Structures are given as C-alpha cells and as structure tokens.
Amino acid sequence: MPMPFAPPIILSQNARTELQAFVRASSTPQSLSLRARIVLRAAATDTQTNLHIGRALGCCNHTVGKWRRRYLALGFAGLQDALRPGRPRTIASATRGQVLSVASTLPHDQERTVTRWTLDEIVATVLDALHTDTIRRSSIWRILHDIDLKPHKSEYWLNSHDADFDAKAHTICQLYAHAIEASQQGRLVMCCDEKTGMQVLERKTPTKPAQPGRRERREHEYIRHGTRVLINSLAVATGHIAWTLGTTRKATDFMAHLPRAYQTLPHMERYDWVMDNLNTHWSLDVCRLVARWCKVPFDPATLTKGVQRRAFLGDPRHRHVFHFTPKHGSWLNQAELFFSVVHRRFLARGSFPSAKDFERRLERFLKDYNIRHAHPYRWTYTGEPVVRDTPFSRTRRQQCQGRACFSPRPKLFERLLYAPRPYRRHAA
C-alpha cells in the first residue's frame, strides 16, 4: 500500500532563527532539541522524507512523522510532551479527605502527644481513624505532596493587630513615592530609628587577608568591649543621614538627637518624620520640643496618655508632622535599609580594639557614606496587601515537569514553549 506524503512545513525567518537558537542552546533538553532538528530538516529546501530524516538523526520515521504533525497543528507548543493522566486512582476520595483533614489540624486536636507532625504520626493517626491498615505510608506521602501540604514545617508569623494598618502603610508609602517632588517644594521626609546592641568585638587573632586560592580567615573567638547605640535620621529624597552615637536609647538620647538632625539635614518649610511606636518617640519632652518648633500652644494636662501625644505629634496642621508606623510594621521605616548597610559594610567583619576606636571608625564610615554613597532608596512597596499566587515548592515542581518558568530569567526553551506564570499577584 502506498504511504501518504508527509505534510510540508514552511517556516518563517523568525521561526527558523528561534528553532536554530533552540538547538544550539546548551540548556535545551536533548528530547526537545531532537524535535526541533526534525522540524528544521522537514522544512529544508530539498524536502527530505521522514525515512531520510530518521536515518540522519538516528530515530524512527514514525517519530519524525509524529513531530511534523504536532508542529503543524500546535506550533512551538506542539514540541513539548502531552499531559498524561496516569493510572486511575486506587485510593477513595473519602480516604484522601481524611488524610488532608488530619494533616491540616494541630496534633493535640487529634489527641496526639507530640507537638509537631511527622509522616509516621500522620500515618498512625489516619490508620487509627480509618480502622484499617490497607493504605501505605508512601501513598499518604504522595497525597500530601500532590497538594503541597507540609505539616512538618513551620514558620514564624507576626500578626499586626493595628486596625488602621492599611491606611497607615498607604500614607507612609505615599510619602516615599513623592519624597523627591516634595523636597523640591520645601517638604522633607525623614525616617528615624535606633540601632541598638552594636557589639564592639575584637578578634583574639588578627584577620588574615585573602590569598590566591584561599578565602579571608577570621578568628572565631573574640573579646567584647561593650555595646553602642546608633540613632539615625535618613532624608528619603537624598539618602543623606544625621546620626547620634551613644551607649543608651533613653528619651533623653532621642531628645538630643532630634535638634541635631533638624540642624544637620536641609532646612525646609515642612518636615514629615517617619518612626516606629517606641515610647521615647512620643514622650512629653518630644511634644514640648515640637510645640516650640511649630510655635503652637503646649498644655501638658491634655497630653497625659500616649494616644493623645501621638495625635498631637501627627497633627497635619503643624510644621513638623510625625507619622508612626503601624504596630509590627517597623519594616515600613526606610531607616532599617540603612542599618542593613551598616551591618554588612561595617559591623559584620570588623575587629575593634576598644570602644573609642569603634566610635572613631564608625564616625568615619558615616561621614564617608554621606559624601560618596548617599542616594535615595528605590521603594517598591505601594502599601497594598501582597499575597502569594503560587507556592514556592509548587512552582519548582512545575518547572521540573516543564509547565512553568521558575527562575527570574527563564531558559531559552522555557521562553519559547511555556508561558511564565505570575509568582505574586495583588489582592483584589
């Protein structure tokens, strides 16, 4: 019986270039590379038959015909493996639901004596609840793995009980977004915070610098010369800082820092101070200082409670307005970003023979930062709640199965064959 002619393939210049790059890329899986070479051979001007292409590429002519038809029907998407349903489930839906119900509760709710789940504990609990031993341990693991449920793992979670969290976060983020424009109009946004417990450590043996083929080596034993506290104010528009270095972070220390920051940073018609809810930030002395700066009446009798003081300091009619971050929301303060720089560039590998040497070197570092490295930070958070769209482990599994782009920079074959999935999305 005569065989039918293989369907012809006509490639555009862009498609041919992409397929050739697809074949040359070292990250392309060999199975996908073979399919791309089949398509290129089938689109050649000499119009080779499936039998000739199969002999040249070391595969069967039926394989060549299959991928020719798949490419003609689906394009680039046809070069990937089709999804296979697999064998029918042997575990009833009720049993699967029981496994998920047990793994989604705490151990003491199932009358177990342990405080964290393990796979063996889940198996024992499920078997006791079902009064059977027909389900295997590996089957229970597979059920949990399919839906990305990991009851043996945990992470810390800090819930903010501030009812106005979203409004406060949005206000602070709007200040950051318009800080540069506001500074040109005479309004300065400043972030103020304290870095406490900076240990003055001296290594018992001098640090040995790096050499070819060997990393820098530091002695793990140290001598402790006390601690220091850095109170910092950061101008959001320029990134310049004003600081006070001391041994404590009492209300008197903060009161001494505010005038210094006010005199050091550029003079403006209005100031917005962003800081957390530490009690030293809204003490009565701070209220008295702000009243003197703004030339407004000051009545201590009306400022006996913290709520009253924070409301007074946050009055938008004043020249100096304090914006307090919501509870458990100190990460909204950009001063934390600068403290990260201090830790990485100065504290992490430092060795200081005395507290005076520490203070002298830190002062030099801060002055050099203002001169050479000060810049406005790029703040990307807008104040809207952000939720995770696809769990980390599920995205990883999808990449292994060839159905998602995992890395920030996907490989060539991933860009051509699979549309990337959004890893995060904004809540509606």
Side-chain angles (χ1 to χ4, degrees):
M1 179 181 296
M3 298 293 293
F5 288 101
I9 295 179
I10 301 176
L11 292 177
S12 64
Q13 184 61 36
N14 291 338
R16 185 181 300 274
T17 302
E18 289 179 347
L19 282 172
Q20 290 172 349
F22 191 76
V23 172
R24 290 194 301 267
S26 59
S27 61
T28 304
Q30 290 300 309
S31 58
L32 298 179
S33 179
L34 173 63
R35 298 164 194 175
R37 290 200 299 270
I38 289 174
V39 175
L40 288 172
R41 291 273 186 138
T45 56
D46 54 1
T47 315
Q48 296 178 345
T49 64
N50 291 348
L51 186 61
H52 291 154
I53 296 175
R55 288 176 179 175
L57 298 179
C59 61
C60 177
N61 61 326
H62 297 290
T63 302
V64 177
K66 171 184 175 180
W67 295 113
R68 291 182 73 157
R69 292 189 300 271
R70 288 278 295 273
Y71 184 81
L72 284 171
L74 302 174
F76 279 110
L79 298 183
Q80 61 178 321
D81 291 327
L83 298 179
R84 297 175 175 82
R87 66 177 183 178
R89 289 181 175 178
T90 58
I91 301 177
S93 298
T95 303
R96 296 175 62 87
Q98 184 68 27
V99 173
L100 302 182
S101 176
V102 169
S104 301
T105 58
L106 297 177
H108 65 81
D109 295 333
Q110 299 291 334
E111 299 182 355
R112 308 301 294 187
T113 58
V114 297
T115 58
R116 63 182 294 268
W117 280 123
T118 62
L119 184 58
D120 291 332
E121 288 288 342
I122 294 176
V123 171
T125 305
V126 171
L127 295 182
D128 292 343
L130 297 177
H131 304 287
T132 180
D133 56 353
T134 56
I135 185 171
R136 296 183 178 181
R137 183 178 186 273
S138 58
S139 299
I140 294 180
W141 175 87
R142 202 173 294 110
I143 292 172
L144 299 178
H145 181 74
D146 288 342
I147 63 169
D148 194 36
L149 181 57
K150 301 177 181 179
H152 64 288
K153 291 188 175 182
S154 67
E155 61 182 13
Y156 283 106
W157 173 61
L158 185 60
N159 182 33
S160 178
H161 302 287
D162 196 327
D164 300 326
F165 183 94
D166 294 338
K168 293 179 180 179
H170 181 73
T171 301
I172 292 174
C173 291
Q174 288 301 310
L175 289 175
Y176 294 159
H178 302 95
I180 298 179
E181 299 176 5
S183 66
Q184 298 172 354
Q185 300 171 1
R187 182 174 180 176
L188 183 64
V189 181
M190 292 186 291
C191 295
C192 188
D193 202 2
E194 300 91 356
K195 184 172 181 60
T196 61
M198 295 189 301
Q199 299 188 65
V200 183
L201 305 180
E202 178 188 7
R203 301 293 168 179
K204 286 189 174 182
T205 304
T207 301
K208 297 182 179 181
Q211 297 178 357
R214 177 174 290 184
R215 301 177 182 177
E216 176 186 295
R217 290 179 293 171
R218 290 182 294 141
E219 173 66 48
H220 71 281
E221 292 188 358
Y222 56 83
I223 303 172
R224 192 167 179 268
H225 297 292
T227 60
R228 289 296 180 269
V229 176
L230 176 65
I231 306 177
N232 175 71
S233 290
L234 170 74
V236 176
T238 61
H240 289 88
I241 58 173
W243 66 89
T244 303
L245 189 60
T247 58
T248 58
R249 64 163 187 178
K250 298 179 181 179
T252 55
D253 301 315
F254 186 69
M255 276 295 300
H257 170 74
L258 286 179
R260 179 170 183 176
Y262 176 61
Q263 296 171 4
T264 304
L265 295 175
H267 289 277
M268 297 286 180
E269 297 178 1
R270 180 168 176 173
Y271 298 84
D272 291 284
W273 301 77
V274 178
M275 57 190 67
D276 57 30
N277 288 276
L278 187 66
N279 57 357
T280 59
H281 296 165
W282 43 265
S283 65
L284 191 61
D285 293 335
V286 174
C287 295
R288 183 180 293 106
L289 176 64
V290 171
R292 185 172 73 250
W293 280 348
C294 300
K295 299 180 181 180
V296 297
F298 175 73
D299 185 7
T302 61
L303 302 175
T304 57
K305 297 182 179 180
V307 176
Q308 299 170 340
R309 297 174 184 176
R310 288 191 292 270
F312 173 80
L313 295 173
D315 191 339
R317 297 172 296 180
H318 293 172
R319 184 188 177 198
H320 294 261
V321 183
F322 282 42
H323 302 271
F324 296 97
T325 61
K327 188 176 182 180
H328 301 324
S330 59
W331 51 273
L332 291 167
N333 194 336
Q334 284 197 13
E336 300 286 352
L337 301 178
F338 173 72
F339 289 152
S340 174
V341 174
V342 173
H343 177 79
R344 288 183 281 109
R345 295 187 181 181
F346 182 79
L347 297 176
R349 296 192 181 184
S351 179
F352 312 99
S354 65
K356 290 184 178 181
D357 179 74
F358 175 85
E359 295 176 0
R360 178 181 58 81
R361 291 173 58 179
L362 181 57
E363 290 279 351
R364 288 183 55 194
F365 171 81
L366 297 176
K367 291 178 181 178
D368 181 71
Y369 180 86
N370 264 346
I371 297 173
R372 299 176 54 198
H373 304 289
H375 66 281
Y377 292 109
R378 181 171 174 265
W379 187 263
T380 58
Y381 181 60
T382 61
E384 299 177 0
V386 179
V387 296
R388 190 181 300 277
D389 182 36
T390 306
F392 181 87
S393 57
R394 186 181 301 173
T395 308
R396 177 67 175 174
R397 187 163 62 253
Q398 289 170 347
Q399 189 230 12
C400 295
Q401 296 173 357
R403 293 199 300 271
C405 295
F406 168 71
S407 62
R409 187 177 181 181
K411 298 180 178 63
L412 176 63
F413 78 92
E414 292 176 331
R415 296 198 302 269
L416 293 178
L417 296 180
Y418 318 123
R421 289 191 177 188
Y423 186 57
R424 288 178 177 270
R425 65 177 173 85
H426 292 285

